[in-house]
Amino acid sequence: MTENTSTNKINSYQKEKNREEMRKQIITFALMIFFTMIAFFAVAMGISSMFVIPLILILAIVQVGFQFYYFMHMKDKGHEFPALLIFGGIWVTFLVGVTFVTIIWW
Amino acid sequence: MSNAATQKRAFSAVLWDYLTTVDHKKVGILYLMGGGFFFLLGGLEALIIRIQLIKPENDFITAGLYNEMITMHGTTMIFLAATPLLFGLMNYIMPLQIGARDVAFPFLNALGFWLFFSGGILLNCSWFLGGAPDAGWTAYAPLSIQSPGHGTDFYVMGLQLSGAGTLMSGINFLVTIVAMRAPGMTYMRMPLFTWTTFVTSVLTLFAFPALTVGLFLLMFDRMFGSAFFDVALGGNSVIWQHLFWIFGHPEVYILILPVFGVFSEVLPTFSKKRLFGYSAMVFATFLIAFLGFMVWAHHMFTVGLGPVANSIFAVATMAIAVPTGIKIFNWLFTMWGGSIVINSAMLWALAFIPSFTIGGMTGVMLGSNVADYQYHDSYFVVAHFHYVIVGGVVFGLFAACHYWWPKMFGRILHEGMGKLAFWTFFIGFHLTFFIQHFLGLMGMPRRYWVFLENQGLDTGNLISTIGAFFMTIGTIVFLINIVYTAVKGEKAPADPWDARTLEWTIPSPPPFYNFKQMPLVRGLDPLWIEKTEGNGKMTPAEPLDEIHMPNGSILPLIMTAGFFIASFGFIYQTDHKAWLIALYAGMAIAIGCMVIRSLKDDLGFHISKEELEREAD
């Protein structure tokens, strides 16, 4: 019986949560488009590439983070192992990259 | 009682069953049979190497054949024996330990086995087709680029096939452990063997791509005229070494971590105590995996990477001694004060601890980059890695066989023969390899076809060869034991060892659906908890209901046959363009199978409730 009376409450809680989620998605989406525009304008305005390349790389990393955490739900519970594996993979790739750059090609 | 096991079935029916199986237990047995076959093959090659080195300037085999022997011994033992034997165990045992009815992707599992097996067969075809690979199991460029004939081509294609199979299985195990644990089986309640399977699979996932890339580059250099490793055309041969060891070092942890898991099952069971420092063991496993990825260049100290790079890799290497030490001490403390039963499985586990510790100690010696300039490419290195791989992995495999044989085949291996096999192999192992430390320190280089008289190497090599024969006898006794057990062995109850984990709650051998009802796990060592606090049986976590099972399929075998044919096409198209037909036909078969698999729905079948009730135990 108690469950019956509280269904509305759960629904409204869920609704609130969904709304929150949607807002986050839209904000992230807008930010990503904004970042992309910054990247385009930085190139179009002909600023020195010493500045533009690091800027674009940083924006790219942030965007990958958004992609993982918001659009692919890595921020939600139950995604610890995928996160562990992704970061493990990034770490291995990073190590390999650093080694190749420093002791083979430098 | 299961009817299928007692009824006599036609040989062809059994064969067809195994060719089409997607059952993790049967795939596990296939892995064990395939791995066991290649283990014997690799052992035979080892014996031939030792006979060649029995006396100075021996000419038992020619220099060229000797090079093929050492290459094939290393390659076979690492890729085709140790790895598949371990994957077979994981395949069989891990789902039982977490209370799953199968692995996450049964079809992929079968495909993984067939790819491994066809890769091994392909590699060994080279013996009959103009010579085996002869550039060492590491196939260093530029030697592997210049090696004449098709030997190294077989190495490339064979390892590519079996590597793909291994990678698939690794991913499969990961998904299985993350998604298919029984109710109540939280991560920190998983048995250590399951944990090490998990970490091993992570290592497989990250390490094998490096091998795949390396092999592709080598393949293009050898077969399609590229120059990735050709210095004369602007390539860089050191890249092969890096790629190989980025894979190769994690690979040795892929080999050793599962047997750490095996010992962490065997020691508590036969000491009647829970594993000492469970969470420290899990943590140490992760730490070994983590550190294992930043030490690969310790295989390359003498390449000339420079003092800074060498020092960084030396320090990281020595750091691995810490988590390994944690494990060694935890095993000792597990036995401390326990009521210890010494049987064959336990003997292998007990012998492992000092043997592996010696290997670990020489490992730290080799990890010191300054000292390594002395040890490099000498028999000291050979002694070191045989101490960790034989003293660790092979001992672990024997322990696991004795421990899980009743579960897998329903019969207990004969104890007397088990002990005889242990003692002959154990004594033979130390005879063979302990002396090699000193041979190495006296300056005997590895991989040399002959050594000269009166340089102080004669007696040592003779002793080493005698030891190899002892190991052979041990292995043969074990084989006889298998046959004897299959014919006359004692029938095993569900729980012959008074053990602690979930796989011992179901009949030996398990029914094809494993668990009639999912068990409810109440803590670490679930069976032990039920024995001490409950009624000795697992509480079901669900009512008896229909079980959904996957259908068998012949597609994995056909798909693999396609890749196998295509590999021959790749290898021989350098001789004559007509071989391109084999390449395209093979690929067409493989891709055709993929298309069929993708488009044809196979929803599996259900075992009805009535049928399950009929098979009441």
Side-chain angles (χ1 to χ4, degrees):
Chain A
M1 310 287 156
T2 44
E3 280 129 4
N4 275 342
T5 49
S6 61
T7 17
N8 274 338
K9 242 182 206 166
I10 287 174
N11 271 349
S12 70
Y13 172 75
Q14 198 60 41
K15 248 183 207 164
E16 187 59 34
K17 263 201 117 169
N18 287 348
R19 190 177 299 148
E20 187 102 325
E21 182 69 34
M22 198 58 183
R23 216 175 60 209
K24 278 183 191 157
Q25 297 259 352
I26 288 172
I27 291 171
T28 334
F29 186 59
L31 273 175
M32 286 175 86
I33 289 184
F34 181 62
F35 284 174
T36 314
M37 275 159 59
I38 293 179
F40 268 107
F41 281 121
V43 176
M45 278 162 42
I47 307 168
S48 99
S49 57
M50 275 293 282
F51 178 74
V52 172
I53 292 172
L55 176 75
I56 292 180
L57 283 179
I58 291 169
L59 291 177
I61 290 169
V62 175
Q63 290 215 18
V64 170
F66 278 155
Q67 181 78 28
F68 278 157
Y69 276 88
Y70 286 92
F71 294 147
M72 289 163 77
H73 296 279
M74 241 165 72
K75 66 177 168 48
D76 299 343
K77 258 196 183 155
H79 289 65
E80 293 83 8
F81 268 107
L84 181 84
L85 289 175
I86 288 171
F87 283 114
I90 291 172
W91 172 240
V92 172
T93 321
F94 172 76
L95 275 180
V96 173
V98 165
T99 318
F100 271 53
V101 169
T102 51
I103 62 180
I104 302 182
W105 292 322
W106 200 294
Chain B
M1 275 286 120
S2 145
N3 286 324
T6 46
Q7 273 170 7
K8 282 225 165 97
R9 282 186 300 168
F11 175 73
S12 57
V14 177
L15 184 69
W16 180 251
D17 188 23
Y18 272 88
L19 291 181
T20 59
T21 188
V22 293
D23 179 0
H24 75 98
K25 296 181 289 300
K26 285 180 182 153
V27 173
I29 289 172
L30 284 173
Y31 261 115
L32 289 178
M33 291 199 297
F37 168 70
F38 288 120
F39 180 77
L40 296 179
L41 210 56
L44 195 64
E45 286 151 8
L47 206 57
I48 292 171
I49 294 171
R50 278 320 316 170
I51 293 174
Q52 166 62 23
L53 294 174
I54 195 169
K55 61 175 192 198
E57 295 188 82
N58 199 0
D59 58 353
F60 178 62
I61 52 173
T62 62
L65 188 57
Y66 183 79
N67 285 348
E68 293 173 16
M69 280 298 161
I70 56 159
T71 305
M72 287 299 281
H73 167 67
T75 313
T76 305
M77 283 303 196
I78 297 283
F79 292 99
L80 309 178
T83 316
L85 283 170
L86 290 167
F87 272 63
L89 280 177
M90 295 178 196
N91 235 317
Y92 202 109
I93 302 298
M94 179 273 290
L96 303 182
Q97 283 196 328
I98 61 172
R101 292 209 170 99
D102 207 325
V103 290
F105 309 115
F107 182 90
L108 210 58
N109 202 14
L111 182 61
F113 165 76
W114 290 113
L115 281 175
F116 137 69
F117 191 68
S118 69
I121 295 294
L122 181 71
L123 191 55
N124 280 286
C125 280
S126 61
W127 287 114
F128 310 104
L129 297 169
D134 56 0
W137 83 279
T138 50
Y140 273 8
L143 182 60
S144 55
I145 301 290
Q146 288 161 356
S147 163
H150 283 301
T152 306
D153 299 333
F154 278 100
Y155 173 94
V156 172
M157 298 315 296
L159 291 195
Q160 199 68 278
L161 274 188
S162 74
T166 311
L167 187 57
M168 255 171 223
S169 305
I171 294 169
N172 209 344
F173 294 151
L174 280 178
V175 181
T176 309
I177 294 175
V178 171
M180 294 178 66
R181 282 164 293 128
M185 179 63 81
T186 59
Y187 283 114
M188 290 312 275
R189 287 176 182 176
M190 293 196 311
L192 239 276
F193 183 70
T194 301
W195 261 121
T196 52
T197 300
F198 182 83
V199 176
T200 302
S201 306
V202 175
L203 288 176
T204 309
L205 178 63
F206 293 150
F208 269 80
L211 178 72
T212 308
V213 170
L215 288 172
F216 264 121
L217 299 185
L218 188 56
M219 176 181 162
F220 275 82
D221 269 18
R222 281 189 66 93
M223 301 172 200
F224 298 105
S226 66
F228 293 107
F229 304 130
D230 189 348
V231 181
L233 291 170
N236 186 339
S237 56
V238 179
I239 291 176
W240 167 266
Q241 294 192 27
H242 276 287
L243 286 174
F244 187 83
W245 287 118
I246 287 168
F247 149 76
H249 201 79
E251 166 70 16
V252 304
Y253 294 117
I254 291 172
L255 298 182
I256 201 66
L257 286 180
V259 305
F260 282 178
V262 170
F263 294 124
S264 306
E265 302 292 321
V266 171
L267 290 170
T269 302
F270 295 117
S271 305
K272 289 277 174 297
K273 271 177 74 188
R274 66 171 277 180
L275 185 68
F276 187 91
Y278 172 82
S279 35
M281 288 297 244
V282 175
F283 175 70
T285 311
F286 270 97
L287 203 57
I288 291 175
F290 178 72
L291 290 171
F293 267 103
M294 33 186 137
V295 298
W296 77 85
H298 67 210
H299 298 269
M300 306 163 58
F301 280 153
T302 57
V303 165
L305 305 175
V308 178
N310 275 3
S311 308
I312 292 171
F313 282 104
V315 171
T317 302
M318 288 189 244
I320 293 190
V322 177
T324 317
I326 293 176
K327 282 178 169 281
I328 297 278
F329 281 109
N330 277 339
W331 288 318
L332 294 179
F333 287 135
T334 303
M335 287 185 285
W336 187 283
S339 75
I340 297 176
V341 180
I342 295 188
N343 54 19
S344 310
M346 194 63 174
L347 273 177
W348 288 108
L350 290 173
F352 152 81
I353 294 177
S355 308
F356 186 79
T357 308
I358 295 173
M361 190 196 66
T362 52
V364 177
M365 290 168 74
L366 286 162
S368 161
N369 51 343
V370 195
D372 185 69
Y373 275 81
Q374 286 298 318
Y375 308 137
H376 190 85
D377 263 357
S378 75
Y379 257 77
F380 190 83
V381 180
V382 176
H384 157 71
F385 67 68
H386 282 94
Y387 258 83
V388 285
I389 292 183
V390 182
V393 182
V394 177
F395 282 21
L397 284 167
F398 277 121
C401 279
H402 276 282
Y403 182 61
W404 279 312
W405 202 271
K407 184 51 62 189
M408 293 190 287
F409 300 101
R411 283 167 192 270
I412 300 171
L413 283 173
H414 189 265
E415 268 301 310
M417 271 190 270
K419 283 179 178 156
L420 180 64
F422 166 76
W423 284 111
T424 41
F425 195 95
F426 177 72
I427 293 169
F429 161 68
H430 283 284
L431 269 184
T432 310
F433 296 111
F434 196 73
I435 196 80
Q436 289 185 1
H437 291 112
F438 301 100
L439 289 174
L441 292 177
M442 284 187 280
M444 182 170 161
R446 69 190 278 203
R447 291 179 171 169
Y448 274 32
W449 171 49
V450 287
F451 59 96
L452 296 178
E453 227 170 331
N454 295 326
Q455 295 186 327
L457 305 174
D458 308 17
T459 323
N461 274 301
L462 178 64
I463 293 173
S464 191
T465 304
I466 293 170
F469 278 101
F470 271 87
M471 288 164 78
T472 313
I473 295 169
T475 313
I476 291 171
V477 172
F478 187 77
L479 289 178
I480 296 171
N481 196 354
I482 291 176
V483 177
Y484 175 85
T485 307
V487 181
K488 294 181 120 160
E490 189 191 334
K491 283 244 165 39
D495 178 20
W497 311 123
D498 193 14
R500 317 169 74 84
T501 40
L502 273 186
E503 75 266 32
W504 305 105
T505 63
I506 49 176
S508 312
F512 66 101
Y513 46 80
N514 295 353
F515 295 89
K516 202 174 277 183
Q517 291 160 291
M518 287 284 107
L520 180 68
V521 178
R522 298 201 289 158
L524 180 64
D525 292 344
L527 179 57
W528 193 253
I529 289 180
E530 300 302 333
K531 279 179 187 170
T532 50
E533 294 165 20
N535 61 357
K537 279 194 181 135
M538 298 306 297
T539 317
E542 57 175 17
L544 189 63
D545 203 359
E546 287 191 333
I547 297 175
H548 181 213
M549 297 297 290
N551 280 326
S553 169
I554 192 73
L555 283 180
L557 183 58
I558 300 176
M559 202 188 291
T560 307
F563 285 123
F564 188 76
I565 295 166
S567 300
F568 275 101
F570 274 114
I571 292 169
Y572 284 107
Q573 50 82 27
T574 49
D575 295 346
H576 196 285
K577 288 298 160 207
W579 279 95
L580 286 173
I581 299 168
L583 201 168
Y584 291 126
M587 284 313 235
I589 294 171
I591 293 170
C593 288
M594 290 182 199
V595 171
I596 294 172
R597 168 71 184 166
S598 308
L599 297 183
K600 199 171 134 281
D601 279 334
D602 184 356
L603 301 174
F605 64 100
H606 285 87
I607 314 168
S608 69
K609 217 164 134 181
E610 292 71 36
E611 208 172 326
L612 287 170
E613 276 163 353
R614 246 200 327 274
E615 290 199 16
D617 37 9

